[in-house]
Amino acid sequence: MDDGVRGARVLVTGAAQGMGRMYVERALAEGAAAVHAWDADAARLGELAGLFARYPGVLTSATVVDIAYADAVADAFAGLPAEGVDVLMNNAGIVRGNDLFWETEVADLAATIAVNVMGALLVTRAVLPGMVERRRPARVVTIASAAALTPNPRMAAYAASKAGVASWSESVRVELERAGHGHVTVTTVYPSYVSTGMFAGARGPLLTPVVEPEVVVDAVWRAMLAGRPTVMVPSSVRTAKVLRGLLPARAYDLVAGRLFRVYGSMDAFTGRPE
């Protein structure tokens, strides 16, 4: 996208706070023709009204939608203008507790998979046919996690959800390329802990500090415009991917657990109330 998102139609999920709100602000500031914000939190979503008012020339909407439910996604998508979506930011995600897996409530397991995996699949499936058909440059960005690349105790369900959504996202990227739809690019994002409050109490592993959200948003935005397949923030996240591919499991456990202290990073996690 040589002109950035100027004139494009942008949809952001999980848009009411944190990095989601930052993506909304970035799209507005860079001249998007339309910005649609989806979130399950009606109160926080309503706070976007003041932000939207500063950009009267942009078509904006804020829709309360729980993307874990197919009917809710279908209804929200039906409410979008016929021009469709050019840029989709699959940003919505949740993390529940820091229990050992077998102590985790079934409802928390189900919610984690429903939002983090099915939510992204449902929204993208609604948006993608139009992107393919219109033949104009389009982007799909999915926020996975560094947790998709390494074992991480006390977040087993979250890690599973992010590994699943990452594998799906990268598979869709290849599907589009093989089907001749190169005008639609897919970017999968692997951030470590980000200081939005979502992972309050978590400690960044050695050489992988907790990252400021502005750093992640800027890296993701630049990669999205360029159509790059992956983003890893900070760059040390790549180390985990390389080491896990090279080392036997027990050797990796020693390196990740004792040296880099990945395995203890969630011990003091508190998170933020949803």
Side-chain angles (χ1 to χ4, degrees):
M1 286 184 160
D2 295 336
D3 294 327
V5 298
R6 182 169 300 280
R9 297 158 181 85
V10 181
L11 170 61
V12 182
T13 67
Q17 60 183 321
M19 292 194 297
R21 181 178 174 120
M22 292 179 183
Y23 293 127
V24 168
E25 291 176 346
R26 189 93 175 228
L28 289 167
E30 294 192 6
V35 178
H36 305 291
W38 287 7
D39 202 289
D41 190 324
R44 287 197 174 101
L45 198 62
E47 295 172 3
L48 292 178
L51 174 63
F52 288 163
R54 300 206 298 267
Y55 298 89
V58 182
L59 175 64
T60 57
S61 67
T63 305
V64 178
V65 52
D66 188 338
I67 62 169
Y69 295 95
D71 289 347
V73 170
D75 289 345
F77 181 71
L80 294 178
E83 293 82 1
V85 173
D86 302 309
V87 177
L88 169 60
M89 306 297 292
N90 279 316
N91 171 74
I94 63 170
V95 60
R96 295 280 181 87
N98 69 334
D99 298 324
L100 299 170
F101 171 72
W102 57 91
E103 298 171 346
T104 307
E105 296 291 336
V106 172
D108 288 339
L109 298 177
T112 299
I113 299 300
V115 174
N116 294 359
V117 183
M118 282 304 299
L121 270 63
L122 291 170
V123 176
T124 305
R125 191 179 185 282
V127 168
L128 200 52
M131 289 181 166
V132 168
E133 182 178 339
R134 283 187 294 273
R135 304 300 304 175
R136 63 184 183 231
R139 301 288 187 266
V140 176
V141 177
T142 297
I143 309 300
S145 170
L149 304 173
T150 180
N152 207 331
R154 293 188 177 272
M155 61 186 315
Y158 179 83
S161 72
K162 291 303 186 178
V165 83
S167 182
W168 159 79
S169 179
E170 296 212 35
S171 296
V172 172
R173 173 182 63 81
V174 177
E175 286 182 351
L176 286 164
E177 292 172 357
R178 286 172 55 85
H181 304 308
H183 64 289
V184 184
T185 66
V186 177
T187 300
T188 309
V189 184
Y190 299 87
S192 185
Y193 296 122
V194 185
S195 60
T196 60
M198 184 175 178
F199 281 97
R203 299 192 308 269
L206 181 68
L207 304 180
T208 310
V210 176
V211 186
E212 292 299 317
E214 293 82 1
V215 173
V216 179
V217 168
D218 185 64
V220 170
W221 202 260
R222 287 186 284 108
M224 176 272 291
L225 293 178
R228 291 204 298 272
T230 60
V231 181
M232 296 184 184
V233 187
S235 58
S236 54
V237 169
R238 293 187 181 276
T239 303
K241 183 177 182 180
V242 172
L243 289 177
R244 195 177 180 200
L246 292 174
L247 297 176
R250 293 302 185 189
Y252 181 80
D253 286 345
L254 288 173
V255 172
R258 294 187 182 181
L259 178 60
F260 288 99
R261 301 192 295 274
V262 173
Y263 291 177
S265 62
M266 284 287 286
D267 287 352
F269 169 82
T270 57
R272 67 180 175 211
E274 291 184 19

